[in-house]
């Protein structure tokens, strides 16, 4: 299939993009890599009249640490994150998550902002930003605002982004002290998306869990923070029993997805097993 | 070891340049002036009467040229003479979701698509049948009124004395196995372009030419003749490049007939190309199969008796169904020595797309059951898996109890090789927890000894014409579908004539030009068309030798033809000119060979006429170039041509009982495979790490091609073993696309170590047998047996999806935490087909259906049943 006819505009700056978006409103879609949008257009599930390409805006592509915060521009590609020495040193969860994402071509072209704004229930990035308790910074006609990651993902393919807003940056506090992180994933055999993906960000002090962030994707209509798991870890010794007890809460209160590859029950089971494994790996790295 | 020039060499496929540069033309690449596009309207219901079709609004749409419906071509056809139950477009009734109702012909694809929405069809819904065992009990509303109880065909064969065999056995195992439905998923979707020439006398549509993605151009010509009521001589079928078949193009697919009917009505060329979803509806893949298998053995593992009851969920039309159900029984024989066999086979009609022939036609699912059960028997008896198979070997040459003639038999060597290479003796039973090795064997026919339409006609005929400059044109009906048959023919002709591959041009699969060949299916092409090519080449060689013998003043037997030269036996092998010619021609063999180099092969700068002149003035000599010999022969006979054909020998054609025609083959290929897997006991995920695959192909005419076929077979078998399954809900296919129905590709491939075993068949061309299907059937049970070795569970329901494997593990470990998913489902002891996917219970919502659709109620019932 081929998409319906559309106009293409490459925005040169965020301001230009915002103004174009304000002008075309619902008729326009932002192109930020296109790995979800273009297939949807080919199936004619999406039929925008204007595509505003923001992936060429240089000012939106950066990874830096300032004042104890890590800031990643929304048009930073998966590969830039995967290969960032800075992130490998201070937040290896993100480069590790990137390696699980699609294939080389996808990683070279796709952007973290494009993925987050799409809120695909099986995308990898949402799990990672949830585990990091990140803030999503969005720019709009009324200025900027920051949204906590766990408030950003609203539902299936739905985010807290409002009409006319553009996702500008992802930021989070630089992990401090003894940190253990990991991302594990069951890949769908055809799409490569996460059947289950678990991101863990642990802060450890004296063998005990000081703080825990656990983000899970693939299981529910949207990625979520597994707060039951986090609570069960908080303040406890990180031994096998604790991890096992905590992992059992992986899909608490979640309406699990069912598809041809895995039933809801099996997804819950996978969420538990892979949460246990992700925690185990994170603990082993927290040295 | 025979010393060959080009046989046994891994030469590049001769059509590879066009395919890799994008210059090659597939059916959808073709275009004609004034060509229109056809789009098909498909049935939304699984079983319904068509009360009325109103296409007036569609016809009124600007750009629409014609709308075709069933009554435009109501003659019935089908690939088997006993199964003529299809029409180009539905007449009176639709039988599956996706059945063909009407075809719009328009000036563009988008207009044709728009017009489809404007066709109004009134249906009266009928109860529909989705489960084969339910369908067999149907007392009315049969899918085809001439097939009572929806049974397409049932066979009940008894060879030897099975009851006595079971009575004499020390151990009898009886199990039910289920295999899900799989499809070919060839890369190229079906495509057909049909064009009529106006008749010069009447101006009406006259001769028809059809370009189609087919494995069987001659059957297509025949079926077009039946439906269009035209003599075959007025129909020309041309097979362009084909992007994979695997059996999915081995019969006449609806679009091929519809395009021709539409072209006649529209009075213009019409092209139809299926979407991927339509390819899934056209289907003709491997049916869901229930196998109830019983095997009796003595204490030492010797098989005394086998009984199999096989039920195939065949879909709404016969297709190759009668052959499939017969292969499932017949190929119980010819692998091992089984003295007594009972076989009860049922091919059942259901309201789903028709199943047909797919790589390993008929044997794959039964082989999965058989090799799994044999492994279990070995475990019970404490015998090694390889040893029990060795104890049941045939002793060829022999005739099996079900009348199959076995001559060359490389199975023992195949087993030997995979055991050795995989380190079986050292590693089996000593691996890390969750890791295991599994062994399984399989075999397949090298073409059917009896053609679909029984006659004494040769199954393949090949013509050769040689030009004065030594260019050799081979006219073969064999259909290259990517498997490399054009190259196979060229290699055989080059070997016989002692010439370079660059001299040979292949004209293939064009019913006006090439002699009849019944098609590329049942792995018959290398054996049968290869033999015909060999004979055609020998025929023309005789003529060249006769002429050369006169010039060389010796007898034809004293002449050697090789390296593009002829010389007297006993004189020194020529170098110099002949050798140069070889070098030049080797350059020509590469795709970049240019014209200047080609012209160089005629004796430097001497032109043909003067060459002839020059030779006439010379006396007898000891050697000549191939061109000189050809010129001599043409001077002698005017034209230099040869013909060869192949018909399977009478003693290979099987018994005389009903259904005996399917199974016999002039030769069988043999395979043994060892799979190494690991199983995640917590999640049921299976990883295949390596497969050692030994295949006895008689002689590898082109080893790299053989390896490619074996690796491809392993991938396809691995897909069926682990993940491929067509998922049905209320007769709707839930995964009609490659994002949901996933075949493994090179990206997912484990290491496959191929081992070629050459048993050199006495009747195959240079000893060759089939190489492309036999390996597939061993992969599924090898993986199943490896899973058992790894975690101790026996998967009897394929595919072995993570959820099924986990359920089987949990069903065995009673103490382990019960999972919701395992409730009432144990894939190690399956009972009936469920509407499921990889998940055991498919609870998703199907596409919207009409509330009155009886299929809906039926579907709910099927969903609830276990």
């Amino acid at each position: 299939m081929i998409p319906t006819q559309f106009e293409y505009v490459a925005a040169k700056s965020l301001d230009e993009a915002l103004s174009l978006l304000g002008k075309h409103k619902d008729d326009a879609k932002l192109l930020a890599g296109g790995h979800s949008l273009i297939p949807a257009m080919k199936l004619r599930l999406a039929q925008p009249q204007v595509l505003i390409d923001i992936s060429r805006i240089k000012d939106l592509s950066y990874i830096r640490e300032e004042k104890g915060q890590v800031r990643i521009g929304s048009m930073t590609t998966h590969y830039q994150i995967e290969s960032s020495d800075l992130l490998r040193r201070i937040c290896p969860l993100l480069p590790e998550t990137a390696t699980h994402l699609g294939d080389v071509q996808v990683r070279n072209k796709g952007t973290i902002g494009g993925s987050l704004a799409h809120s695909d229930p099986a995308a990898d990035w949402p799990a990672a930003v949830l585990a990091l308790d990140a803030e999503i910074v969005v720019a709009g006609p009324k200025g900027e605002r920051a949204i906590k990651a766990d408030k950003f993902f609203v539902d299936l393919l739905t985010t807290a982004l409002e009409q006319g807003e553009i996702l500008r940056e992802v930021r989070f506090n630089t992990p401090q002290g003894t940190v253990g992180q990991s991302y594990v994933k069951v890949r769908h055999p055809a799409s490569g998306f996460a059947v289950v993906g678990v991101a863990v960000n642990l802060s450890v002090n004296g063998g005990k869990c000081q703080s825990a962030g656990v983000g899970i994707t693939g299981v529910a209509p949207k990625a979520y923070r597994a707060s039951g798991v986090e609570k069960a870890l908080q303040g406890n010794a990180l031994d096998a029993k604790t991890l096992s007890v905590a992992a059992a809460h992986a899909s608490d209160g979640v309406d699990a997805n069912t598809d041809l590859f895995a039933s809801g029950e099996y997804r819950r089971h996978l969420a538990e097993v892979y949460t246990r494994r992700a925690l185990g790996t994170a603990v082993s790295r927290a040295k | 070891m025979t010393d060959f020039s080009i046989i046994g060499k891994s030469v590049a496929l001769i059509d590879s340049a066009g395919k890799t540069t994008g210059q090659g033309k597939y059916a959808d690449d073709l275009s004609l002036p004034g060509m229109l596009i056809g789009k098909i309207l498909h049935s939304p219901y699984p079983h319904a009467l068509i009360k009325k079709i109103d296409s007036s609004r569609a016809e009124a749409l600007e750009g629409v040229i014609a709308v075709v419906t069933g009554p435009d071509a109501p003659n019935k056809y089908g690939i088997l003479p006993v199964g003529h139950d299809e029409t180009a477009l539905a007449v009176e009734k639709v039988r599956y979701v996706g059945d063909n109702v009407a075809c719009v012909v328009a000036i563009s694809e988008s207009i044709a698509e728009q017009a489809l929405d404007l066709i109004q069809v009134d249906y009266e819904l009928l109860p529909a049948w989705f489960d084969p065992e339910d369908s067999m009990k149907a007392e009315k509303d049969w899918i085809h009124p001439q097939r009572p109880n929806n049974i397409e065909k049932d066979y009940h064969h008894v060879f030897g004395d099975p009851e006595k065999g079971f009575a004499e056995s020390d151990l009898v195992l009886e199990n039910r196995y289920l295999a899900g439905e799989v499809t070919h998923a060839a890369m190229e979707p079906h495509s057909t372009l049909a064009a009529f020439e106006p008749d010069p006398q009447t101006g009406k549509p006259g001769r028809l030419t059809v370009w189609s993605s087919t494995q069987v151009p001659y059957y297509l010509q025949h079926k077009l003749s039946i439906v269009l009521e035209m003599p075959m001589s007025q129909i020309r079928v041309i097979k362009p490049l084909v992007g994979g078949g695997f059996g999915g193009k081995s019969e006449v697919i609806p679009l091929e007939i519809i395009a021709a009917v539409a072209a006649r009505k529209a009075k213009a060329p019409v092209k139809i190309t299926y979407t991927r979803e339509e390819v899934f509806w056209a289907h003709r893949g491997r049916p869901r199969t229930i196998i109830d298998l019983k095997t009796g053995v003595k204490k030492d593992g010797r098989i005394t008796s086998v009984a199999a009851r096989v039920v195939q969920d065949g879909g709404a039309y016969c297709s190759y169904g009668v052959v499939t159900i017969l292969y499932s029984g017949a190929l119980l024989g010819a692998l091992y020595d089984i003295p007594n066999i009972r076989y009860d086979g049922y091919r059942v009609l259901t309201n789903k797309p028709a199943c047909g022939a797919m790589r390993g036609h008929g044997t794959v699912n039964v082989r999965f059951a058989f090799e799994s059960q044999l492994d279990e028997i070995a475990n019970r008896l404490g015998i090694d898996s390889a040893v029990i198979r060795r104890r049941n070997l045939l002793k060829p040459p022999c005739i099996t109890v079900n009348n199959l003639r076995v001559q060359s038999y490389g199975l023992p060597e195949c087993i030997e090789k995979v055991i050795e290479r995989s380190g079986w003796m050292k590693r089996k039973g000593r691996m890390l927890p969750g890791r295991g090795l599994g062994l399984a064997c399989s075999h397949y026919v090298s073409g059917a000894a009896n053609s679909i339409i029984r006659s004494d006609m040769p199954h393949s005929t090949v013509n050769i014409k040689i030009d004065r400059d030594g260019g050799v044109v081979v006219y073969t009906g064999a259909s290259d579908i990517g498997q490399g048959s054009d190259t196979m023919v060229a290699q055989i002709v080059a070997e016989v004539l002692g010439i370079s591959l660059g001299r040979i041009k292949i004209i293939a699969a064009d019913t006006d030009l090439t002699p009849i060949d019944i098609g590329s299916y049942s792995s018959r092409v290398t054996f049968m068309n290869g033999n015909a090519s060999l004979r055609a080449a020998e025929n023309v060689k005789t003529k060249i030798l006769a002429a050369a013998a006169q010039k060389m003043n010796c007898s034809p037997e004293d002449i050697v033809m090789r390296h593009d030269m002829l010389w007297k036996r006993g004189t020194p092998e020529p170098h110099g000119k002949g050798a140069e010619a070889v070098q030049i021609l080797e350059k020509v063999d590469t795709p970049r060979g240019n014209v200047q180099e080609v012209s160089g092969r005629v004796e430097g700068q001497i032109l043909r006429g003067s060459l002839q002149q020059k030779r006439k003035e010379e006396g007898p000599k000891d050697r000549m170039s191939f061109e000189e010999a050809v010129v001599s022969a043409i001077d002698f006979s005017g034209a230099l041509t040869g013909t060869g054909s192949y018909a399977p020998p009478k003693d290979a054609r099987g018994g005389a009982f009903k259904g005996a025609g399917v199974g016999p083959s002039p030769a069988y290929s043999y395979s043994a495979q060892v799979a190494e897997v690991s199983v995640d006991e917590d999640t049921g995920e299976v990883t295949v790490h390596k497969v050692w695959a030994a295949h006895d192909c008689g002689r590898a005419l082109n080893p790299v091609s053989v390896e490619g076929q074996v690796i491809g077979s392993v991938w396809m078998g691995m897909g069926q073993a682990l993940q491929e399954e067509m998922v049905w809900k209320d007769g709707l296919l839930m995964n009609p696309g490659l994002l949901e129905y996933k075949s493994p590709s090179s990206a997912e491939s484990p290491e496959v170590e191929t081992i070629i075993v050459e048993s050199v068949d006495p009747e195959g061309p240079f000893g060759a047998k089939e190489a492309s299907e036999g390996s597939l059937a061993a992969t599924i049970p090898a993986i199943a047996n490896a899973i058992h070795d790894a975690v101790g569970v026996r998967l009897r329901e394929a595919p072995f999806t993570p959820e099924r494997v986990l359920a089987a593990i949990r069903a065995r470990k009673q103490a382990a935490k019960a999972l919701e998913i395992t409730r009432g489902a144990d894939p190690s002891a399956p009972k009936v087909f469920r509407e499921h996917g990889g998940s055991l219970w498919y609870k998703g919502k199907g596409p919207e259906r009409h509330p009155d659709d009886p299929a809906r109620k039926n579907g709910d019932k099927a969903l609830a049943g276990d």
Side-chain angles (χ1 to χ4, degrees), chain B residues 195-371:
Chain B
F196 284 87
E197 290 166 29
D199 183 281
Q201 311 301 325
T202 64
K204 290 179 181 165
R207 279 185 57 98
L208 166 66
T209 304
V210 171
W211 292 261
S212 194
S213 51
T214 179
Q215 301 175 233
V216 286
Y218 293 89
Y219 285 138
L220 176 56
Q221 185 194 26
H222 179 229
K223 304 307 172 188
L224 284 167
S225 144
I226 291 171
V227 178
L228 298 170
E229 297 179 352
M230 289 169 66
M232 281 168 73
S233 60
Q234 293 293 300
I235 302 169
R236 178 181 187 182
V237 176
I238 301 171
K239 177 208 72 73
L241 288 183
V242 171
F246 310 110
K249 295 163 185 165
S250 69
E251 63 181 287
V252 176
I253 298 298
L255 89 161
E256 300 182 287
I257 302 277
I258 296 169
V261 174
R264 184 169 66 180
K265 192 163 181 178
K267 297 192 173 61
V270 171
K271 183 162 80 181
I272 305 178
T273 301
Y274 275 162
T275 62
R276 184 55 67 176
E277 188 172 26
E278 288 179 303
V279 173
F280 274 88
W281 286 336
H283 189 33
R284 321 281 158 153
R286 192 175 339 281
R288 293 204 293 193
T289 310
I290 301 168
I291 305 117
D292 290 312
L293 184 68
K294 182 176 170 186
T295 306
V297 292
K298 300 298 274 184
K299 275 199 197 91
D300 64 359
R302 286 275 309 161
I303 298 167
T304 57
S305 195
V306 170
R309 174 183 177 271
V310 176
V311 179
Q312 287 170 348
D313 179 0
Y317 295 96
C318 175
S319 174
Y320 270 106
V322 174
V323 173
T324 318
I325 196 69
L326 282 169
Y327 266 130
S328 288
L331 291 180
L332 284 166
L335 183 60
Y336 302 117
D337 183 14
I338 303 173
N340 306 292
I341 297 174
R342 174 195 298 286
Y343 176 67
D344 297 288
Y346 300 85
R347 179 74 173 197
V348 183
L349 294 156
T350 51
N351 291 104
K352 301 193 303 175
C355 294
M358 180 168 159
R359 202 173 193 179
H361 190 190
T363 188
V364 173
N365 293 342
V366 174
R367 187 52 48 198
F368 153 54
F370 190 97
E371 294 293 307

Side-chain angles (χ1 to χ4, degrees), chain B residues 508-587:
Chain B
D510 177 333
T511 60
D512 265 11
L513 301 180
T514 56
I516 191 163
D517 175 279
I518 59 179
S520 284
Y521 61 95
S522 72
S523 275
R524 54 173 297 283
V525 178
T526 293
F527 202 96
M528 300 192 182
N529 202 277
N531 263 326
S533 302
L534 181 82
R535 290 169 190 183
E538 278 172 347
N539 179 241
V540 76
K541 182 181 179 180
T542 310
K543 296 175 186 176
I544 297 170
L545 286 176
Q550 279 198 349
K551 295 272 178 193
M552 289 162 79
N553 203 13
C554 65
S555 80
E557 296 80 49
D558 291 335
I559 300 175
V560 180
M561 276 179 86
R562 206 165 174 185
H563 306 319
D564 296 274
M565 294 290 291
L566 292 82
W567 68 89
K568 275 190 194 166
R569 205 179 299 278
T571 63
E573 203 167 306
H575 297 286
K577 275 182 196 148
E580 274 165 30
V582 173
Q583 275 175 5
I584 290 164
L585 285 162
E586 274 168 0
K587 279 187 209 154

Side-chain angles (χ1 to χ4, degrees), chain A residues 1 44 186 188-191 258-263 265-266 269-270 272-274 276-277, chain B residues 680 682-683 685 727 734-735 739-740 742 802-803 806 817 819-821 837-839 842-843:
Chain A
M1 290 268 279
R44 302 198 181 171
V186 180
H188 185 281
S191 69
T258 279
D259 63 20
L260 295 176
F261 182 74
S263 64
E265 288 84 355
Y266 183 62
H269 175 73
L270 286 178
E272 181 181 341
V273 172
Y274 277 85
R276 194 170 66 227
R277 291 178 181 176
Chain B
D680 186 328
D682 290 334
T683 65
E685 293 166 280
V727 179
M734 302 304 294
N735 50 350
L739 262 181
E740 297 273 289
K742 172 66 179 168
E803 208 166 328
L806 183 65
K817 182 182 157 194
L819 284 170
E820 176 77 4
I821 56 164
S839 53
Y842 181 69
K843 290 175 184 165

Side-chain angles (χ1 to χ4, degrees), chain B residues 423-457:
Chain B
W424 179 272
M425 301 310 286
K426 272 185 289 183
R427 301 174 67 217
K428 180 88 178 357
R430 295 184 189 90
M431 305 183 84
L432 293 170
R435 208 161 170 116
L437 290 174
L439 168 72
C441 301
S442 61
H443 65 323
Y444 204 63
V445 300
S446 304
N450 305 289
S451 68
I452 297 169
I453 301 160
R454 274 218 185 193
S455 77
D456 286 330
M457 182 189 84

Side-chain angles (χ1 to χ4, degrees), chain B residues 20-57:
Chain B
T20 47
T21 58
Q23 285 174 20
K25 297 267 191 236
Y26 295 82
D28 189 54
D29 294 324
L30 304 175
S31 183
L32 288 172
M35 184 179 85
L36 305 171
I37 300 296
K39 274 280 173 194
I40 298 165
L41 181 71
H42 299 278
S43 167
Y45 300 113
H47 201 188
L49 296 173
I50 297 175
K51 305 308 281 185
K52 193 179 153 207
I53 301 179
D54 179 1
S55 59
S56 55
R57 285 176 62 216

